[in-house]
C-alpha cells in the first residue's frame, strides 16, 4: 500500500479474496441490500464462483476456474466460515485521505487536543462523531443453502473439514492469555442494559430484545442485566438458540481412537495379572507387619511342649 511508511520495503500478503466499492452518501442514509453468492467447487463439475451484489446489481464476480488455472494450488474456499460485520476503518483501506502539510498522520484520535493526532481526519469527521448519533444498523442477516446439494453442509465441523479435531489438537493456536478452553459457550443473558423506565425518549429500542425475548433486571447496585426468556440467547437475548440438524463430526469413540474392547483371552490375562498384583501387594503388607516382631528364643524350638515367655 502506498500509505505504508516504507512501501518499497514492505510486503502485504492476504490469504483472502476482497473487493472494495466506493459508497455514496445515499448508502449511509437509506437501507441497502448486500449479497454474496458462494458456489462451492465440485469435482469434475465446477470450480465454484463468488458473486457480489449491491441492491441486486452484480458488482463483481470471480470464477474459480481462473484461480485454479493460476497454478498456485488455490481454489474457491470450501472451509466452514462465519460472518463479521464491522465498520472496517483502516489507514490502509482508503482512509484517511492525503494528510495536510505538517501533519505526520501516525496517530488518529478525534478526542485528542494534540493537533498531530487529529489533523489527518477528513474535514467534518470528528465533528460528526461529537455532535451526531453515529450508528451502524443491520436490519437482518440471512444465510441460504441448497439442502439438495451434498457439498453445502450446515455446521462448523464437517467430514471434509474436521475443524473440531484440528482445534482440539492445536488448542494453543486458538487461545489467548487467560483462556481455559479454545471454544467458549454462548453466553445466555448477563449483558448490560438500561430499564425502559430510565431510558426516557432517547431511544425507542427495547432493552434485551423486547419483552418477548428478555427482561432487564436491576441489581442492588443499580446495574441492569439482561435475563433471557424461552429460546432466546446471547448476552442481550438478541438471537434464538441454534443447533445443527445433523452432527457431521460427533465426539470420537474409543474405537476411532484405536482402542478395542477386550476379548475372552485378554479378559483372562487381565484377571491373572490382577491376581498376581494382589498377591504381591498382600505379601508386601504382611512382610512389613512381621518386620516389627521380635523372634522368640531358640529354646522355643526344643519341642519339649513348654511355653517360653
Amino acid at each position: 500500500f502506498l500509505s505504508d511508511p516504507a512501501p518499497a520495503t514492505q510486503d502485504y500478503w492476504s490469504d483472502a479474496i476482497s473487493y472494495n466499492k466506493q459508497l455514496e452518501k445515499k448508502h449511509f442514509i437509506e437501507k441497502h441490500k448486500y449479497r454474496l453468492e458462494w458456489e462451492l467447487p465440485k469435482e469434475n463439475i465446477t470450480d465454484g464462483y463468488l458473486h457480489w451484489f449491491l441492491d441486486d446489481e452484480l458488482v463483481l464476480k470471480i470464477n474459480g476456474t481462473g484461480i485454479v488455472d493460476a497454478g498456485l494450488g488455490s481454489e474457491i474456499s470450501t472451509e466452514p466460515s462465519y460472518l463479521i460485520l464491522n465498520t472496517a476503518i483502516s489507514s490502509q483501506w482508503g482512509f484517511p485521505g492525503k494528510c495536510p502539510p505538517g501533519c505526520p498522520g501516525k496517530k488518529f484520535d478525534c478526542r485528542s487536543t494534540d493537533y498531530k493526532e487529529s489533523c489527518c481526519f477528513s474535514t467534518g469527521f470528528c465533528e460528526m462523531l461529537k455532535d451526531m448519533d453515529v450508528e451502524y444498523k443491520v436490519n437482518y442477516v440471512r444465510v441460504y443453502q441448497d439442502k439438495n446439494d451434498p457439498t453445502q453442509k450446515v455446521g462448523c465441523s464437517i467430514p471434509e473439514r474436521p475443524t473440531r479435531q484440528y482445534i482440539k489438537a492445536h488448542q494453543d493456536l486458538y487461545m489467548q492469555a487467560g483462556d481455559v478452553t479454545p471454544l467458549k459457550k454462548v453466553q445466555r443473558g448477563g449483558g448490560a442494559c438500561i430499564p425502559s423506565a430510565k431510558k426516557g425518549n432517547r431511544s425507542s429500542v427495547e432493552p434485551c430484545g423486547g419483552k418477548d425475548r428478555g427482561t432487564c433486571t436491576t441489581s442492588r447496585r443499580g446495574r441492569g442485566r439482561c435475563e433471557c426468556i424461552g429460546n432466546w440467547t446471547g448476552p442481550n437475548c438478541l438471537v434464538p438458540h441454534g443447533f445443527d440438524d445433523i452432527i457431521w463430526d460427533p465426539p470420537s469413540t474409543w474405537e476411532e481412537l484405536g482402542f478395542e474392547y477386550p476379548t475372552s483371552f485378554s479378559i483372562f490375562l487381565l484377571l491373572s495379572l490382577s491376581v498376581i498384583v494382589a498377591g504381591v501387594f498382600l505379601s508386601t503388607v504382611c512382610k512389613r507387619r512381621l518386620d516389627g516382631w521380635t523372634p522368640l528364643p531358640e529354646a522355643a524350638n526344643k519341642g519339649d511342649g513348654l511355653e517360653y515367655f
Side-chain angles (χ1 to χ4, degrees):
F1 292 96
L2 296 178
S3 59
D4 288 336
T9 59
Q10 289 181 318
D11 292 328
Y12 179 84
W13 179 265
S14 177
D15 186 14
I17 296 177
S18 302
Y19 172 68
N20 290 343
K21 178 178 175 59
Q22 182 64 47
L23 299 180
E24 303 174 4
K25 184 178 180 179
K26 65 179 183 180
H27 294 104
F28 297 93
I29 58 178
E30 301 173 358
K31 292 182 179 180
H32 295 269
K33 182 169 63 176
Y34 303 85
R35 185 172 98 235
L36 168 65
E37 288 185 359
W38 177 10
E39 176 66 22
L40 300 176
K42 299 180 181 66
E43 188 174 1
N44 300 325
I45 300 178
T46 177
D47 293 322
Y49 60 80
L50 292 170
H51 291 174
W52 281 268
F53 295 83
L54 176 56
D55 293 330
D56 296 324
E57 177 187 354
L58 179 65
V59 294
L60 178 70
K61 62 180 180 179
I62 295 179
N63 193 327
T65 303
I67 299 178
V68 174
D69 290 345
L72 300 176
S74 301
E75 65 173 4
I76 297 294
S77 177
T78 59
E79 296 184 4
S81 303
Y82 54 88
L83 300 174
I84 298 179
L85 305 178
N86 61 7
T87 53
I89 296 178
S90 170
S91 60
Q92 293 185 332
W93 290 95
F95 174 87
K98 186 176 180 180
C99 297
C103 180
K106 294 183 178 181
K107 292 185 178 181
F108 302 89
D109 187 356
C110 280
R111 296 170 297 182
S112 176
T113 57
D114 188 346
Y115 171 78
K116 295 181 179 180
E117 296 182 359
S118 61
C119 57
C120 204
F121 286 105
S122 300
T123 303
F125 183 86
C126 291
E127 288 72 14
M128 175 189 68
L129 296 179
K130 294 177 182 178
D131 303 332
M132 301 175 60
D133 292 332
V134 180
E135 297 178 312
Y136 181 38
K137 295 182 178 181
V138 178
N139 189 22
Y140 62 84
V141 177
R142 298 172 182 171
V143 179
Y144 298 92
Q145 291 180 281
D146 184 359
K147 63 181 181 180
N148 297 319
D149 186 344
T151 65
Q152 297 189 16
K153 296 180 175 67
V154 178
C156 295
S157 188
I158 59 178
E160 294 82 358
R161 294 289 189 271
T163 310
R164 180 187 62 81
Q165 297 179 24
Y166 183 86
I167 294 178
K168 189 173 183 179
H170 305 83
Q171 295 190 21
D172 57 310
L173 301 178
Y174 295 86
M175 292 192 297
Q176 299 178 347
D179 289 345
V180 179
T181 59
L183 298 177
K184 300 179 182 179
K185 294 183 178 180
V186 176
Q187 179 181 336
R188 189 171 191 267
C193 60
I194 301 176
S196 300
K198 296 182 179 181
K199 294 173 69 78
N201 297 324
R202 187 173 182 179
S203 175
S204 59
V205 179
E206 291 293 328
C208 308
K211 61 180 181 179
D212 295 331
R213 300 185 180 186
T215 58
C216 184
T217 59
T218 306
S219 64
R220 294 180 179 179
R221 297 183 179 181
R223 298 176 180 175
R225 297 295 177 185
C226 289
E227 291 186 4
C228 300
I229 299 174
N231 198 40
W232 295 95
T233 187
N236 295 90
C237 315
L238 298 179
V239 294
H241 174 70
F243 61 91
D244 295 333
D245 295 322
I246 301 176
I247 304 300
W248 297 102
D249 185 23
S252 302
T253 61
W254 287 107
E255 291 85 351
E256 293 174 343
L257 296 175
F259 295 96
E260 298 182 357
Y261 289 105
T263 61
S264 57
F265 174 77
S266 59
I267 293 177
F268 173 77
L269 181 61
L270 181 62
L271 291 175
S272 301
L273 291 175
S274 300
V275 172
I276 295 175
V277 172
V280 174
F281 175 76
L282 291 175
S283 62
T284 303
V285 173
C286 294
K287 183 178 183 301
R288 288 182 178 179
R289 291 182 177 179
L290 293 175
D291 286 345
W293 290 6
T294 302
L296 294 174
E298 294 181 359
N301 299 323
K302 296 179 178 180
D304 54 4
L306 298 176
E307 295 182 357
Y308 293 85
F309 298 93

